[in-house]
Amino acid sequence: MTMNKEHEPSVDFLEKEVREDVKNNAYSRPVATRFPPEPNGYLHIGSAYAIHINHSIARKFNGTFNLRLDDTNPVKEESKYAESIQEDVRWLGLNPPVFYGSDYSERYAEAAVVLIRKGKAYVCDLTPEQMTAYRGTLTEPGKDSPFRNRSVEENLRLFEGMKNGDYPASSKVLRAKIDMSSPNMNLRDPVLYRIIQAEHYRTGKRWCIYPMYDFAHPIQDWIEGITHSLCSAEFFEHRPLYEWVLREAGAEEPPKQREFGRLNVSGSVTSKRYIRELVEGGYVDGWDDPRLPTLKGLRRRGVTPEGLASFLEAVGVLRQNSTVDSAMLDHFIRRDLKEKAVGVMAVLEPLKVVITNYPEDQTEILRLKNNENNEALGIREVPFSRELFIEKEDFMEAPAAGFHRLSPGVEVRLKGAYFLKCEHVVKDPATGDVRELHCSYDPETKSGSGFNARKVQSTIHWVSAKHGVTAEVHAYEKLLRDGIQILESGNNWEELVNPDSRIVIKKAVMEPFMRHAEPGAKYQFIRHGYFCLDSGYAADHKRVFNRIVALKDSWKKT
C-alpha cells in the first residue's frame, strides 16, 4: 500500500538528518547514540528528555544506545551519584551498557600528545585571571598567551611533568592553539587539560591531570563508536570545538554533534544547579522531594515511567529551548494511571455521621469495584456501619445555589451503599461549628438492589468510623509561584517558592483496605486524585500518601 504524503508520520529534524546519513552510508557502523551525564548530582526530567531522544533515535534505526558517566572531574563527582544515575535509567525501563569516561584517561593523554606534536596545543602558565583578561570580549579579539609559541619539545616535556605531578594545581594548563581572534569564544585557545590534585572515586590518585569536557567528550564519543552525539542547545556554540578536536586527533568517520532544545516545565526547576540551591538551602526536603522534577522525586511522588515516557513522546523533539505547561505532564501521568490505580474512599477532612436508624452492633460488608475502567483489578470488601465519616465540604447547613450534596432534609447516595438523609445537626456550643450529623438511611435503596422509586442528585464517599485507617496526606502544587518563567543566578528562593507547594493533611481517614497499602502501588482516592504511599517515611513507620496528580485535567492539546 502506498501511503499518501498527507498521512505520512511526521519526522523530526534530528531523525531526518540521521535518515540521510544512513541513506548515504555516512558511517560503516550502525547508528549509535549515548547519554553522558556527569555524576555530580541526580537526574531530572530534562535528563529523561535527553535520554528519550537519544534512545529513540537509536531504536528507530536498529542502532545502539550507551550510558556513559562522564567522570573526569574528581572534585565534584561521587560514586553515590554514579549509582543513582544507573538506577534512574533502569527505572525508565532501559538497561544500556555502561561506560566510564575515567576509563579513557590514557586515550585522552595520547590525543593530547598528538595535538602537541602537530603544534596544535601548548602548555600555558597564565593564571586563571590572566587568561580571562587575555581572552578578550564578544566585541574585542583576545591576545596570544606569551607561552603560545613554546617549542613542541618544551610542551611535551612540560605536559609530561603535569602528568607526573611535578607542578601544583592550577599552575599550568594545556591549551588548544586555534584562533584568539575567533568570533566564537570557545575557539580562543580553550583549555584542554588542567592539574587537579584530588582523589578520584574510581581511579584514586592515579591521575593528577584531568581533561576539560570539550576535549574529553568528543574523544569519548569516538572511542565508543558513537555516530550522532545528540545534546541540548547550549552546546551549539561548542560544536566547532568538538569537530576541531576530532579532526586534529585524526578521527576517522568522526561522530556528528547535533543539538535539540532544552525542555523546561512551568512552575518547576529543571536546572541541576538551581535544584542544588533549593536542596542545600532547605527549601525542599532533599533531592527526592516529591515537588522536584528529579527522577527520584517523581518516583517518590508516584509518577510512573510509562506516564513520563508518554509525555516525552508527545513533546517531540524541540528545536529551541522551550517551557511546556505542567498541565501537559499531569495529563499523561493521569492517563497512564486511569486503568492502573485501585479506587478507594478516603476522607481528607472528616465530619462524623451517625445513622440513627442503623443497628449499633451491625457491620455490613459491601463489595465495590476496584476500578470502573478495568474489571481485571477485581473487587474489594468495604465495611459499612452506624457511624461514618464524610467530607466536611459535602455538607452545607444552608446550601448555596447549585449545592446538591448533603444538607438538612436532603437525601444523597452513599457510594456503593444507601440513600442518606440529614435529620439533625449537632454543633459545638462554644464555637457554633458543626461537630456531627444525625442522619437516617433507607434500607430499600441499597446499591445494586434495583431500587429506582426515587432519584438523588448526588453521590458522596464515606468511610466507616469504626474500621477506618488514619493517615497523613500530602497534596502537591507547583513548586514556584505563578507567573515565574525565567530563573537567573542569585535567585531569592524565599520569594520564588510557592508556600502552598505542599499541603499537609494530618488526619485523613480511609478504608481499612489501605492498611495494607504498599509503597509504589497506585490508588485513586475517589474525587480527590491519584495517590501513592510515600516510601520516604517507611523507616519511620509513618503512613503518608502523596497526591500524584489531581483528577481534573486542564490541559488541552493544540
Side-chain angles (χ1 to χ4, degrees), residues 536-547:
Y537 294 94
D540 300 329
H541 304 288
K542 186 177 178 182
R543 306 183 70 77
V544 176
F545 288 87
N546 291 329
R547 187 174 71 186

Side-chain angles (χ1 to χ4, degrees), residues 390-408:
I390 66 169
E391 294 285 357
K392 281 184 180 178
E393 66 175 20
D394 284 343
F395 174 77
M396 190 175 287
E397 188 175 13
F403 183 84
H404 299 300
R405 282 166 274 171
L406 192 62
S407 57

Side-chain angles (χ1 to χ4, degrees), residues 88-263:
D88 283 345
V89 171
R90 288 193 296 269
W91 177 73
L92 290 172
L94 305 178
N95 191 26
V98 180
F99 298 91
Y100 293 85
S102 55
D103 287 344
Y104 308 142
S105 298
E106 293 284 357
R107 302 286 293 273
Y108 306 138
E110 290 168 4
V113 169
V114 168
L115 296 184
I116 293 171
R117 290 189 185 281
K118 291 175 68 174
K120 298 292 184 177
Y122 63 96
V123 175
C124 181
D125 296 357
L126 290 178
T127 65
E129 295 75 20
Q130 289 171 328
M131 204 174 300
T132 299
Y134 273 62
R135 195 174 182 218
T137 66
L138 292 173
T139 57
E140 296 178 353
K143 296 188 300 181
D144 287 355
S145 165
F147 307 102
R148 197 173 196 265
N149 294 317
R150 279 172 163 161
S151 67
V152 169
E153 291 72 20
E154 185 179 8
N155 283 317
L156 287 172
R157 178 178 59 78
L158 291 171
F159 182 66
E160 186 67 18
M162 289 172 60
K163 192 168 71 167
N164 293 337
D166 296 343
Y167 309 113
S170 304
S171 61
K172 296 181 187 297
V173 294
L174 182 71
R175 297 177 68 180
K177 187 185 289 187
I178 307 179
D179 182 2
M180 290 301 294
S181 63
S182 173
N184 185 336
M185 301 288 281
N186 296 296
L187 297 180
R188 294 186 184 179
D189 289 12
V191 174
L192 304 180
Y193 256 109
R194 74 280 207 208
I195 301 170
I196 301 178
Q197 303 283 2
E199 187 166 348
H200 190 277
Y201 79 99
R202 292 188 75 241
T203 60
K205 296 182 179 179
R206 168 71 180 81
W207 293 87
C208 59
I209 57 168
Y210 290 89
M212 300 296 288
Y213 177 85
D214 281 339
F215 181 57
H217 186 61
I219 295 173
Q220 292 166 351
D221 285 345
W222 178 29
I223 291 170
E224 292 173 13
I226 301 304
T227 57
H228 297 84
S229 182
L230 310 177
C231 53
S232 50
E234 65 261 34
F235 291 101
F236 175 74
E237 293 292 334
H238 296 249
R239 192 203 292 184
L241 179 54
Y242 181 97
E243 294 171 345
W244 182 91
V245 169
L246 291 172
R247 183 171 61 252
E248 298 300 339
E252 296 181 4
E253 294 186 8
K256 291 182 179 179
Q257 177 180 304
R258 294 296 181 264
E259 304 81 21
F260 52 85
R262 184 185 177 104
L263 173 67

Side-chain angles (χ1 to χ4, degrees), residues 183 267 329 348 407 453:
L329 174 59
L348 303 190
S407 57

